[in-house]
Amino acid sequence: MRDTRESRLLLVLLIAVAFALITVDIRGGEDSPVDGARRAAAAAFGPIEDGVSSVVDPVGNAVSAVRDSGERHDRLAELEQRNAALEAKLGSDDRNRSRLTQLDKMLKLAGAGQYGIKGAQVIAIGAAQGFSWTVTIDIGAADGVKRDMTVLNADGLVGRVTTVGPNTSTVLLANDPDFTVGTRMEAGDELGFASGQGDRPLRVELLNGKAEVKAGDRLVTFGSQADRPFVPGVPVGVVSRVDPSGGDLTRTLYVTPYVSFTKLDIVGVVVEAPKKDPRDTVLPAKPKPVPTPTVTVTVTPNANAPADGQDQQ
């Protein structure tokens, strides 16, 4: 169509009619007189709109995805932070619960032996102090700790204090090769001396070479003069092997200590000795033997078998 005066008048007329129809449609609402025409147009042009939208929507979806990806990333990062904080809290709570359990068991052991103790935490291991088996604890002279005091934990004998600072102390562990402690067999008077062997069982030399000892027997500390460096009655360990006597003046035992020296955390320094020897009262209860199930076999006679005194045909 050429750009003539008539064509421009027709365009203005069509625009005016369109605005008039829009006005009528808006004012009519659901009862609009052009509602039928609008539906017919929708039916006619709907497939075309769908086709166009199918082409345009992927682009729009991509833009929306890029926009939303930042929001999802922020949400994911927030969730990850919350999970990390929760895991840290749970881990801390688990550790605190473990420490409370250790402390509770240690206080029960101290109560059974009537030991006055100062609780402490292991803050360093001996690798930083040389090749000996030692640990550093977070209490010292300011807490009443002195050299040659017994150190224990919830399981038994840990070692003895060797060096004391204002707020920290060094403990020589019972498995150190330079460590020696007097021992006494449970329910008896057989005395000996236990020495550390690093990560191997303690070596105990009994003074009586003919002493009757077997695997599973238990030992406690015998105690020292004036209760230093060792108070009596602290659980030491369980006999795992007994060397044949061979007529020697002493008898050698190998003892698995109650304490795990590679997993020390909460310990106690005995600052007040018991008024009397607790003997075996501090030892843990012996495990009850597990009953061995018995199997009863019932033999049912075969009905087809020949009776006694009859030959099988």
Side-chain angles (χ1 to χ4, degrees):
M1 180 182 293
R2 290 181 299 173
D3 185 14
T4 61
R5 182 181 179 187
E6 290 80 3
S7 63
R8 287 197 298 271
L9 288 174
L10 179 59
L11 179 61
V12 171
L13 180 60
L14 290 174
I15 293 174
V17 172
F19 274 110
L21 291 174
I22 291 172
T23 302
V24 173
D25 185 39
I26 292 174
R27 290 181 177 178
E30 294 181 356
D31 298 327
S32 171
V34 297
D35 183 61
R38 185 173 60 246
R39 291 180 181 177
F45 295 106
I48 299 176
E49 291 176 351
D50 288 342
V52 173
S53 66
S54 66
V55 175
V56 177
D57 278 352
V59 179
N61 290 340
V63 174
S64 178
V66 172
R67 182 180 65 249
D68 292 344
S69 66
E71 297 177 0
R72 285 196 295 270
H73 177 75
D74 293 342
R75 289 196 296 271
L76 180 60
E78 181 182 357
L79 288 173
E80 288 177 348
Q81 290 177 357
R82 289 183 180 179
N83 287 341
L86 180 60
E87 288 175 1
K89 183 177 184 298
L90 289 175
S92 176
D93 288 348
D94 289 342
R95 188 175 183 184
N96 288 336
R97 280 193 290 269
S98 173
R99 287 178 171 176
L100 287 174
T101 300
Q102 292 178 53
L103 181 60
D104 182 61
K105 289 177 62 179
M106 184 175 70
L107 291 176
K108 289 179 179 178
L109 183 148
Q114 295 299 297
Y115 308 124
I117 65 171
K118 285 276 187 177
Q121 182 181 347
V122 173
I123 57 175
I125 58 175
Q129 306 167 33
F131 295 100
S132 59
W133 289 75
T134 61
V135 294
T136 300
I137 58 177
D138 62 353
I139 60 174
D143 305 283
V145 177
K146 297 179 182 179
R147 179 182 169 88
D148 287 334
M149 283 185 166
T150 306
V151 182
L152 49 77
N153 71 357
D155 299 313
L157 180 67
V158 171
R160 62 180 175 86
V161 177
T162 55
T163 306
V164 181
N167 300 299
T168 61
S169 303
T170 301
V171 178
L172 183 68
L173 301 181
N175 65 334
D176 187 273
D178 291 332
F179 186 96
T180 302
V181 59
T183 60
R184 182 180 59 77
M185 299 296 302
E186 176 187 12
D189 295 325
E190 298 294 349
L191 305 180
F193 293 94
S195 301
Q197 296 193 111
D199 55 1
R200 294 180 295 167
L202 304 176
R203 180 187 176 97
V204 179
E205 296 290 340
L206 288 184
L207 301 182
N208 181 4
K210 297 180 180 180
E212 294 294 331
V213 186
K214 64 183 183 302
D217 288 347
R218 306 186 294 179
L219 296 85
V220 298
T221 56
F222 176 65
S224 307
Q225 185 176 5
D227 297 311
R228 291 175 64 181
F230 302 109
V231 294
V234 180
V236 174
V238 181
V239 175
S240 56
R241 181 163 65 90
V242 181
D243 273 358
S245 177
D248 296 334
L249 295 177
T250 61
R251 189 157 198 191
T252 303
L253 316 175
Y254 295 93
V255 173
T256 301
Y258 283 117
V259 172
S260 177
F261 298 105
T262 59
K263 296 191 295 184
L264 293 172
D265 187 7
I266 302 299
V267 300
V269 179
V270 181
V271 295
E272 183 178 351
K275 294 182 179 179
K276 65 177 183 178
D277 187 346
R279 303 288 293 181
D280 304 329
T281 59
V282 187
L283 284 168
K286 287 186 175 181
K288 296 181 179 180
V290 179
T292 303
T294 57
V295 179
T296 303
V297 179
T298 303
V299 179
T300 303
N302 188 349
N304 296 324
D308 292 343
Q310 295 180 356
D311 293 333
Q312 185 173 2
Q313 298 296 325

